[in-house]
Amino acid sequence: MPGLAETLSKPVPVPDEASRPFFDGARRGVLLLRHCCACGTFMSPTGGLGTPLRPRCIACFAADLEWAPAGGRGTLYSFALMHQVYDPAFADEVPYNIAVVELDEGVRMTANVVGCANEELRIGMPLVVTFEQVSEEIAIPKFRRSI
Ligand SMILES: [Zn+2]
């Protein structure tokens, strides 16, 4: 008998016009960031939870932004362990980690660290992006320990 969590499906992101390039990249195994063509600053792929993409560079205010591939490497900046079951589909995974990863490009993004016991998580540990295919069309960037 499968457990309840196995019969429930986890929420899957639905790309909109603004986020479609990011998810197209993720499906190809490429982590895309927003990049300023004027000064070279990299920015988060989102404008923040529930907000649209930033229309301008956070450093020089230029409006000339593009999607550019990140190297996919970074370090663990911070993390928390989630013990609360907010969604029954995640019941089998608590406690799971929610990490803030500082990419080599200077951008911090929220993701899960996979393939590493929560007890082994250390601030500053080197990480590399990996992609979890959650549906035919959607892959989600996660991070694993870099050796
Ligand atoms: Zn700029």
Side-chain angles (χ1 to χ4, degrees):
M1 280 285 287
L4 179 62
E6 291 167 57
T7 64
L8 297 169
S9 52
K10 293 176 183 170
V12 173
V14 179
D16 59 13
E17 195 177 330
S19 62
R20 191 169 306 282
F22 177 82
F23 286 105
D24 286 348
R27 200 171 58 234
R28 292 183 284 116
V30 179
L31 180 62
L32 293 176
L33 298 175
R34 300 293 284 160
H35 178 250
C36 176
C37 298
C39 75
T41 296
F42 281 93
M43 285 156 276
S44 166
T46 68
L49 195 62
T51 61
L53 288 178
R54 294 177 197 282
R56 291 181 176 275
C57 174
I58 56 172
C60 76
F61 213 55
D64 191 9
L65 303 183
E66 63 174 0
W67 287 99
R73 293 187 172 276
T75 55
L76 183 58
Y77 180 79
S78 182
F79 68 95
L81 299 181
M82 182 62 76
H83 292 265
Q84 183 77 35
V85 179
Y86 285 108
D87 183 326
F90 291 81
D92 286 350
E93 295 182 25
V94 292
Y96 57 87
N97 67 73
I98 299 172
V100 177
V101 179
E102 186 165 79
L103 299 172
D104 288 354
E105 288 80 5
V107 173
R108 290 179 195 150
M109 61 182 289
T110 306
N112 304 117
V113 177
V114 296
C116 177
N118 288 332
E119 298 73 31
E120 294 174 16
L121 294 172
R122 296 288 181 273
I123 301 301
M125 69 192 287
L127 299 169
V128 63
V129 74
T130 182
F131 291 88
E132 183 179 311
Q133 198 77 34
V134 295
S135 75
E136 228 169 81
E137 289 191 1
I138 300 295
I140 297 178
K142 300 198 170 191
F143 287 82
R144 60 181 168 77
R145 196 191 318 230
S146 170
I147 299 161

